[in-house]
């Protein structure tokens, strides 16, 4: 029986903290993200590397509508202990738009567009107070806002996120932090099911509108697995700072460090299993010499079930990248 409570299937940072799940402290991610010189960042990591948890962590830290969470959820974390002035200055300081495309699965463009419009509608619902404040929105803005809330198929969704940043900026008098998780999921689905051009037309407008040359943007983040935004598919979004496992930035903000593996094994009384874990799960090389990272999903499951097994199984299909490499021109292969 494991000694600790492990967040298998739990990605929400607030739930992890409040329910006292075991987790590796990655709170300094928030500071590195905000202080990075890039206005908009694309962070790429393999599946099951806690990308969603880091996105939700940033959301709870910056959210101006729930400023108390920056204190409650980050108390006694590395961030609050190492840089309390950063927490005081930026915690609960900005309006936040947070959306995940991870659940977008559709065989046709018509179905995918319904999913995308529903997601954008939910984002507007997160900020319904803009609509409920009768003195804030102009009449034409109220009509547009309501059409999106109602998932009206005739509403204009391509630039809806950018328009929402403008409203939030005007309301709070603070620019907006935009967080987009699994940005590449609709692209993968579109490629697999043959509606690539339609999807790219929509997504290019949506992503570029909100993240490029947007005066209402404080900071933007895309997370995903594939570098499609830099591979010609979303070429208009050329202002991104891109960070993969091969970059030193954010190298220790995802995955599990070897010393953390050792500590976790010792807490479960399995210190003698270190060599077996090394042999079975090995580690990922990074741009930092001697820094080896392990997949969090595999380790959490091993710690819970206390047996070696291939926990990191296929959780999504991203094989179109290989197909595109061999079907496309040499220039595309080099970019991919």
């Amino acid at each position: 029986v494991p000694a600790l409570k492990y967040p298998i299937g739990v990605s929400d940072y607030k739930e992890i903290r409040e329910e006292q799940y075991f987790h590796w402290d990655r709170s300094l991610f928030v500071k590195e993200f905000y202080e990075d010189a890039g206005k908009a960042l694309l962070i790429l990591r393999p599946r099951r590397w806690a990308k969603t948890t880091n996105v939700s962590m940033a959301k709870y830290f910056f959210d101006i509508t729930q400023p108390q969470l920056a204190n409650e959820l980050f108390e006694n974390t590395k961030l609050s202990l190492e840089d309390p002035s950063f927490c005081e200055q930026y915690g609960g300081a900005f309006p936040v738009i947070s959306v995940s495309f991870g659940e977008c699965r559709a065989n046709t463009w018509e179905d995918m567009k319904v999913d995308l419009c529903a997601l954008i509608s939910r984002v507007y619902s997160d900020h319904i107070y803009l609509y409920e404040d009768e003195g804030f929105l102009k009449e034409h803005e109220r009509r547009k806002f309501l059409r999106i809330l109602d998932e009206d198929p005739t509403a204009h969704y391509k630039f809806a996120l950018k328009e929402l940043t403008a409203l939030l900026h005007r309301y709070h008098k603070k620019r907006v932090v935009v967080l987009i998780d699994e940005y590449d999921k609709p692209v993968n689905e579109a490629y697999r099911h043959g509606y690539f051009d339609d999807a790219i037309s929509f997504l290019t407008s949506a992503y570029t509108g909100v993240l490029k040359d947007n005066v209402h943007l404080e900071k933007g983040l895309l997370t995903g697995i594939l570098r499609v935004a830099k591979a010609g598919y979303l070429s208009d979004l050329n202002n991104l700072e891109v960070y993969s496992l091969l970059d030193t930035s954010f190298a220790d903000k995802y995955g599990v460090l070897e010393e953390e593996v050792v500590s976790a094994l010792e807490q479960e009384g399995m210190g003698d299993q270190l060599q077996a874990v090394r042999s079975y799960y090995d580690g990922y090389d990074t741009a930092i010499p001697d820094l080896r990272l392990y997949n969090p999903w595999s380790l959490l499951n091993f710690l819970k079930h206390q047996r070696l097994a291939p926990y990191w199984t296929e959780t999504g299909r991203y094989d179109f990248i290989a197909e595109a490499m061999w079907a496309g021109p040499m220039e595309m292969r080099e970019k991919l």
Side-chain angles (χ1 to χ4, degrees):
V1 178
L4 301 173
K5 183 178 177 182
Y6 295 101
I8 306 301
V10 179
S11 299
D12 184 76
Y13 182 72
K14 183 172 182 284
E15 182 178 357
I16 289 171
R17 291 285 287 172
E18 291 182 342
E19 298 299 322
Q20 298 182 357
Y21 283 104
F22 171 86
H23 64 286
W24 291 285
D25 189 337
R26 296 292 177 266
S27 57
L28 288 171
F29 163 80
V30 173
K31 180 182 178 183
E32 185 169 356
F33 160 61
Y34 186 76
E35 293 185 344
D36 188 273
K39 187 78 165 180
L41 282 57
L42 169 59
I43 297 180
L44 304 171
R45 290 298 185 272
R47 289 185 301 276
R48 302 294 190 178
W49 270 60
K51 297 185 295 295
T52 299
T53 300
N54 279 8
V55 167
S56 72
M57 179 167 58
K59 168 191 165 186
Y60 291 124
F61 180 81
F62 291 114
D63 190 359
I64 199 171
T65 67
Q66 302 180 87
Q68 74 282 1
L69 294 181
N71 293 322
E72 295 172 2
L73 300 182
F74 292 84
E75 184 179 5
N76 294 323
T77 62
K78 290 180 179 179
L79 178 61
S80 64
L81 295 174
E82 294 184 19
D83 198 341
S85 62
F86 179 88
C87 295
E88 183 177 351
Q89 183 174 358
Y90 297 111
F94 302 106
V96 177
I97 290 175
S98 181
V99 58
S100 173
F101 290 95
E103 296 180 3
C104 291
R105 296 178 179 86
N107 294 333
T108 67
W109 168 237
E110 290 72 21
D111 289 341
M112 175 58 76
K113 188 175 181 181
V114 169
D115 285 352
L116 293 173
C117 293
L119 276 175
I120 292 171
S121 176
R122 289 205 290 272
V123 174
Y124 269 62
S125 182
D126 290 341
H127 302 280
I128 196 169
Y129 59 89
L130 299 175
Y131 182 82
E132 293 174 337
D133 186 338
E134 295 185 5
F136 175 65
L137 294 177
K138 299 177 177 66
E139 188 55 37
H140 74 279
E141 292 172 333
R142 288 180 62 81
R143 290 196 299 269
K144 290 174 66 175
F145 203 103
L146 183 59
R147 288 173 65 194
I148 292 174
L149 279 178
D150 290 341
E151 299 180 31
D152 184 339
T154 65
H156 296 289
Y157 292 90
K158 280 187 177 182
F159 297 104
L161 293 179
K162 180 178 182 179
E163 290 171 358
L164 184 57
T165 63
L167 296 177
L168 288 168
H169 189 187
R170 195 172 88 209
Y171 186 90
H172 293 286
K173 297 180 174 53
K174 291 286 191 71
R175 290 182 299 188
V176 184
V177 172
V178 176
L179 309 169
I180 300 176
D181 192 27
E182 297 196 58
Y183 88 104
D184 48 350
K185 184 63 181 292
V187 179
N188 180 48
E189 289 289 302
Y191 185 88
R192 289 178 58 209
H193 296 293
Y195 53 89
F196 190 79
D197 291 342
D198 288 324
I200 288 300
S201 174
F202 184 99
L203 293 169
T204 297
S205 297
Y207 292 155
T208 304
V210 75
L211 293 175
K212 184 177 180 181
D213 299 327
N214 181 0
V215 297
H216 310 292
L217 180 69
E218 175 70 18
K219 201 77 177 181
L221 173 65
L222 295 172
T223 69
I225 298 172
L226 304 174
R227 194 171 172 163
V228 292
K230 279 283 193 175
Y233 298 128
L234 299 176
S235 56
D236 289 342
L237 199 61
N238 56 8
N239 63 315
L240 296 172
E241 292 290 342
V242 182
Y243 298 110
S244 71
L245 273 172
L246 302 180
D247 295 289
T248 56
S249 296
F250 301 99
D252 60 349
K253 303 305 186 296
Y254 294 87
V256 185
L257 306 175
E258 181 140 320
E259 55 264 34
E260 293 173 327
V261 176
V262 173
S263 176
L265 290 174
E266 290 176 348
Q267 288 184 73
E268 286 291 355
M270 295 190 295
D272 59 344
Q273 295 292 307
L274 177 59
Q275 190 55 49
V277 169
R278 280 176 177 160
S279 299
Y280 199 90
Y281 298 117
D282 197 14
Y284 289 72
D285 287 324
T286 69
I288 300 177
D290 302 322
L291 178 65
R292 303 276 286 171
L293 295 173
Y294 291 77
N295 177 279
W297 178 255
S298 297
L299 288 173
L300 287 172
N301 275 278
F302 171 73
L303 291 167
K304 178 180 179 179
H305 301 293
Q306 302 191 354
R307 61 184 177 85
L308 297 169
Y311 298 109
W312 191 71
T313 57
E314 287 292 325
T315 55
R317 290 175 55 91
Y318 286 87
D319 50 356
F320 89 83
I321 196 81
E323 296 175 17
M325 285 180 65
W326 297 112
M330 182 60 69
E331 181 182 1
M332 178 181 288
R333 298 184 199 178
E334 292 174 352
K335 287 180 179 178
L336 294 174

